[in-house]
Amino acid sequence: QVQLVESGGGLVQAGGSLRLSCAASGRTFSSYAIGWFRQAPAKEREFVAVISWSGGDTYYTDSVKGRFTISRDNAENTVYLQMNSLKPEDTAVYYCAADYLPWTLKTTPESYDYWGQGTQVTVSS
């Protein structure tokens, strides 16, 4: 089992940057792929990015490719989402989620086993 806590959200102007962190507890953190999702008001939760347990595989939704970068530090039990060139449409609550081995690409919320509480990102125009 793993517990996840997101941080790093906030208010930023369009074109700005934020770095989100997903800190995990549990000795088996390196056995989980970690995904980032986001949910805007009155919208469904949507996939943003995912990184495999080793960090060797990453995948992004088209709308954030070239702007967001996902990375992980297994020694620190933390996954990061660097968000650059932010747009107002990136405004949402951002969640990290964990999916246990084996690694397969999963982009639907129901595929993930554990979730954090979310962190708010607001991008002003």
Side-chain angles (χ1 to χ4, degrees):
Q1 188 169 350
V2 63
Q3 290 78 42
L4 305 173
V5 178
E6 303 94 336
S7 62
L11 173 64
V12 63
Q13 289 188 330
S17 298
L18 284 173
R19 188 177 79 158
L20 304 184
S21 297
C22 174
S25 62
R27 294 181 296 172
T28 59
F29 174 72
S30 60
S31 300
Y32 291 85
I34 302 294
W36 283 98
F37 290 77
R38 63 187 180 187
Q39 187 166 19
K43 292 189 176 181
E44 292 187 351
R45 192 167 298 189
E46 67 169 350
F47 170 80
V48 176
V50 63
I51 188 165
S52 63
W53 65 273
S54 68
D57 294 285
T58 59
Y59 184 78
Y60 302 88
T61 193
D62 286 346
S63 63
V64 308
K65 284 181 182 176
R67 299 189 299 123
F68 291 11
T69 302
I70 189 170
S71 61
R72 70 189 294 160
D73 184 340
N74 284 342
E76 296 295 327
N77 280 13
T78 303
V79 169
Y80 303 99
L81 185 68
Q82 178 66 45
M83 305 186 297
N84 299 328
S85 303
L86 282 162
K87 305 175 181 180
E89 51 264 43
D90 294 318
T91 295
V93 177
Y94 282 71
Y95 299 88
C96 63
D99 173 45
Y100 193 63
L101 289 173
W103 159 250
T104 56
L105 176 60
K106 297 177 182 177
T107 61
T108 58
E110 55 269 24
S111 299
Y112 287 76
D113 304 305
Y114 304 101
W115 290 82
Q117 83 292 344
T119 185
Q120 176 70 48
V121 171
T122 303
V123 184
S124 63
S125 57

